[in-house]
Amino acid sequence: MRGLILKDLYLIKGFGRQYAFVFAFMAIWGIAMKATSFLCIYATLMGAMIVLSITALDDAVSFNRFALTMPVSVRTLIKSKYLLFIITVGIGTAIALLISVITAFLSVEMNQEFGWQDLVPSVTVFVVGTSIALPVILYKGAEKGRYAYMAAMLGLGGLTYGGIKLCQKYKISLEFLETIPIVLFVGIFAGICIISLVISYFVTLRLVRKKEW
């Protein structure tokens, strides 16, 4: 497991400069547009998408087929990818929080504030969306997995938009969310993330065991 994670981290290091360059460009654009929310969400998105990039690189050289000739099980391969996702999305979330804190601390004028209360639901959407797509990514490959990821994110976006519209139609205020204790608020969304990842992991494991490498 440790060797697989290190292999993926070295791959990330290989194209890390490209990611840094793109993020720096987006950061300049976000500051110019005074959009803290854009920067925070983009940082989280980059963290969530790395597992798809790594899977595409593995598919290109048939790495999994090679790995299974060594004392590495299918379960270990799958675990490594889920652990990689948790690591990268965690880093992306940390960067997003740092951006939010810096802009608040420096009193940078932005179009709207974007605190951790906004970031937690956003991270949850990315985690759930990726959890839905990961079984397809690891079973059918990164190429088809991209379509599954886009479909999952569009579906979640549609549900979120529809839910907000229904609340507006029936005059249901969402301000009560601000009164929920911090521990409970974070715990609810963390629970959703954990449950979605656990379900996704077992679904992936069941599918990949039937795969002909």
Side-chain angles (χ1 to χ4, degrees), residues 5-19 50-51 54 57 84 87-88:
I5 294 296
L6 286 174
K7 183 270 297 180
D8 291 339
L9 293 178
Y10 279 124
L11 286 175
I12 293 172
K13 183 180 178 181
F15 56 77
R17 289 183 181 179
Q18 299 175 19
Y19 271 70
I50 284 178
V51 68
I54 294 297
L57 292 175
L84 176 68
I87 292 172
T88 55

Short mmCIF file of all heavy atoms in Angstrom, two decimals, residues 5-19 50-51 54 57 84 87-88:
data_model
loop_
_atom_site.label_atom_id
_atom_site.label_comp_id
_atom_site.label_asym_id
_atom_site.label_seq_id
_atom_site.Cartn_x
_atom_site.Cartn_y
_atom_site.Cartn_z
N ILE A 5 1.03 4.27 -2.90
CA ILE A 5 0.78 5.68 -2.61
C ILE A 5 1.97 6.53 -3.00
O ILE A 5 1.84 7.61 -3.60
CB ILE A 5 0.45 5.88 -1.11
CG1 ILE A 5 -0.87 5.19 -0.75
CG2 ILE A 5 0.38 7.36 -0.77
CD1 ILE A 5 -2.08 5.75 -1.45
N LEU A 6 3.19 6.04 -2.67
CA LEU A 6 4.40 6.79 -3.04
C LEU A 6 4.52 6.92 -4.56
O LEU A 6 4.93 7.97 -5.07
CB LEU A 6 5.63 6.09 -2.46
CG LEU A 6 5.85 6.22 -0.95
CD1 LEU A 6 7.02 5.37 -0.50
CD2 LEU A 6 6.07 7.69 -0.57
N LYS A 7 4.18 5.83 -5.27
CA LYS A 7 4.22 5.89 -6.74
C LYS A 7 3.29 6.98 -7.26
O LYS A 7 3.69 7.78 -8.13
CB LYS A 7 3.81 4.52 -7.30
CG LYS A 7 3.89 4.41 -8.82
CD LYS A 7 2.60 4.80 -9.53
CE LYS A 7 1.46 3.89 -9.18
NZ LYS A 7 0.19 4.31 -9.89
N ASP A 8 2.09 7.05 -6.70
CA ASP A 8 1.13 8.07 -7.14
C ASP A 8 1.60 9.48 -6.77
O ASP A 8 1.45 10.42 -7.55
CB ASP A 8 -0.24 7.81 -6.52
CG ASP A 8 -0.90 6.56 -7.09
OD1 ASP A 8 -0.52 6.15 -8.20
OD2 ASP A 8 -1.79 6.00 -6.42
N LEU A 9 2.19 9.62 -5.59
CA LEU A 9 2.68 10.94 -5.17
C LEU A 9 3.85 11.40 -6.04
O LEU A 9 3.96 12.59 -6.36
CB LEU A 9 3.11 10.89 -3.70
CG LEU A 9 1.97 10.69 -2.68
CD1 LEU A 9 2.53 10.62 -1.27
CD2 LEU A 9 0.94 11.81 -2.78
N TYR A 10 4.69 10.47 -6.48
CA TYR A 10 5.78 10.83 -7.38
C TYR A 10 5.23 11.25 -8.74
O TYR A 10 5.77 12.16 -9.40
CB TYR A 10 6.75 9.66 -7.55
CG TYR A 10 7.74 9.53 -6.41
CD1 TYR A 10 7.85 8.34 -5.69
CD2 TYR A 10 8.55 10.60 -6.05
CE1 TYR A 10 8.76 8.21 -4.64
CE2 TYR A 10 9.46 10.48 -5.00
CZ TYR A 10 9.56 9.29 -4.30
OH TYR A 10 10.44 9.18 -3.27
N LEU A 11 4.16 10.59 -9.17
CA LEU A 11 3.53 10.99 -10.43
C LEU A 11 2.96 12.41 -10.31
O LEU A 11 3.09 13.22 -11.24
CB LEU A 11 2.41 10.01 -10.80
CG LEU A 11 2.84 8.64 -11.33
CD1 LEU A 11 1.63 7.75 -11.53
CD2 LEU A 11 3.62 8.78 -12.64
N ILE A 12 2.33 12.68 -9.18
CA ILE A 12 1.78 14.01 -8.94
C ILE A 12 2.90 15.05 -8.95
O ILE A 12 2.76 16.15 -9.51
CB ILE A 12 1.02 14.06 -7.60
CG1 ILE A 12 -0.23 13.18 -7.69
CG2 ILE A 12 0.61 15.50 -7.27
CD1 ILE A 12 -0.93 13.01 -6.37
N LYS A 13 4.02 14.71 -8.34
CA LYS A 13 5.16 15.61 -8.32
C LYS A 13 5.64 15.91 -9.74
O LYS A 13 6.06 17.04 -10.04
CB LYS A 13 6.31 14.99 -7.51
CG LYS A 13 7.52 15.90 -7.37
CD LYS A 13 8.61 15.22 -6.56
CE LYS A 13 9.85 16.10 -6.46
NZ LYS A 13 10.94 15.44 -5.68
N GLY A 14 5.51 14.91 -10.62
CA GLY A 14 5.96 15.08 -11.99
C GLY A 14 5.18 16.14 -12.74
O GLY A 14 5.74 16.90 -13.54
N PHE A 15 3.84 16.20 -12.51
CA PHE A 15 3.07 17.24 -13.20
C PHE A 15 2.57 18.31 -12.22
O PHE A 15 1.68 19.10 -12.54
CB PHE A 15 1.89 16.64 -13.97
CG PHE A 15 0.94 15.81 -13.15
CD1 PHE A 15 0.01 16.39 -12.32
CD2 PHE A 15 0.96 14.42 -13.24
CE1 PHE A 15 -0.87 15.63 -11.58
CE2 PHE A 15 0.09 13.64 -12.51
CZ PHE A 15 -0.83 14.25 -11.67
N GLY A 16 3.19 18.34 -11.04
CA GLY A 16 2.79 19.32 -10.03
C GLY A 16 2.99 20.76 -10.47
O GLY A 16 2.20 21.64 -10.15
N ARG A 17 4.08 21.01 -11.25
CA ARG A 17 4.32 22.37 -11.73
C ARG A 17 3.22 22.85 -12.65
O ARG A 17 2.86 24.04 -12.65
CB ARG A 17 5.67 22.41 -12.45
CG ARG A 17 6.88 22.26 -11.53
CD ARG A 17 8.16 22.37 -12.31
NE ARG A 17 9.34 22.21 -11.43
CZ ARG A 17 10.59 22.25 -11.85
NH1 ARG A 17 10.84 22.44 -13.15
NH2 ARG A 17 11.59 22.11 -11.00
N GLN A 18 2.68 21.93 -13.45
CA GLN A 18 1.58 22.31 -14.34
C GLN A 18 0.36 22.72 -13.52
O GLN A 18 -0.29 23.73 -13.83
CB GLN A 18 1.23 21.15 -15.25
CG GLN A 18 2.38 20.71 -16.16
CD GLN A 18 2.03 19.47 -16.96
OE1 GLN A 18 0.87 19.12 -17.12
NE2 GLN A 18 3.05 18.80 -17.47
N TYR A 19 0.06 21.93 -12.49
CA TYR A 19 -1.07 22.26 -11.62
C TYR A 19 -0.84 23.60 -10.93
O TYR A 19 -1.76 24.43 -10.80
CB TYR A 19 -1.27 21.16 -10.58
CG TYR A 19 -2.19 20.06 -11.03
CD1 TYR A 19 -1.80 19.16 -12.02
CD2 TYR A 19 -3.46 19.89 -10.48
CE1 TYR A 19 -2.64 18.15 -12.44
CE2 TYR A 19 -4.30 18.88 -10.89
CZ TYR A 19 -3.89 18.01 -11.88
OH TYR A 19 -4.74 17.01 -12.30
N ILE A 50 -7.41 14.92 -9.12
CA ILE A 50 -6.09 14.31 -9.30
C ILE A 50 -6.18 12.79 -9.44
O ILE A 50 -5.44 12.19 -10.23
CB ILE A 50 -5.16 14.70 -8.12
CG1 ILE A 50 -4.69 16.15 -8.30
CG2 ILE A 50 -3.94 13.78 -8.05
CD1 ILE A 50 -3.82 16.67 -7.19
N VAL A 51 -7.08 12.16 -8.70
CA VAL A 51 -7.19 10.70 -8.78
C VAL A 51 -7.57 10.26 -10.19
O VAL A 51 -7.14 9.19 -10.65
CB VAL A 51 -8.22 10.19 -7.74
CG1 VAL A 51 -9.64 10.60 -8.09
CG2 VAL A 51 -8.14 8.67 -7.62
N ILE A 54 -4.32 10.45 -12.27
CA ILE A 54 -3.43 9.33 -11.93
C ILE A 54 -3.94 8.04 -12.56
O ILE A 54 -3.16 7.23 -13.09
CB ILE A 54 -3.29 9.17 -10.42
CG1 ILE A 54 -2.59 10.39 -9.81
CG2 ILE A 54 -2.54 7.90 -10.06
CD1 ILE A 54 -1.17 10.58 -10.28
N LEU A 57 -3.04 7.91 -16.19
CA LEU A 57 -1.64 7.54 -16.40
C LEU A 57 -1.42 6.05 -16.19
O LEU A 57 -0.67 5.41 -16.93
CB LEU A 57 -0.75 8.34 -15.43
CG LEU A 57 -0.67 9.85 -15.68
CD1 LEU A 57 0.13 10.53 -14.58
CD2 LEU A 57 -0.03 10.13 -17.04
N LEU A 84 -5.55 7.83 -1.84
CA LEU A 84 -5.00 8.94 -2.61
C LEU A 84 -6.02 10.06 -2.76
O LEU A 84 -5.69 11.24 -2.60
CB LEU A 84 -4.56 8.46 -4.00
CG LEU A 84 -4.04 9.55 -4.94
CD1 LEU A 84 -2.72 10.12 -4.46
CD2 LEU A 84 -3.90 9.01 -6.36
N ILE A 87 -6.32 11.97 0.46
CA ILE A 87 -5.15 12.83 0.68
C ILE A 87 -5.24 14.09 -0.18
O ILE A 87 -5.06 15.22 0.31
CB ILE A 87 -3.85 12.06 0.37
CG1 ILE A 87 -3.63 10.95 1.40
CG2 ILE A 87 -2.65 13.01 0.34
CD1 ILE A 87 -2.48 10.02 1.06
N THR A 88 -5.51 13.92 -1.47
CA THR A 88 -5.49 15.07 -2.38
C THR A 88 -6.65 16.02 -2.15
O THR A 88 -6.48 17.24 -2.20
CB THR A 88 -5.49 14.60 -3.84
OG1 THR A 88 -6.61 13.74 -4.09
CG2 THR A 88 -4.21 13.85 -4.17
#
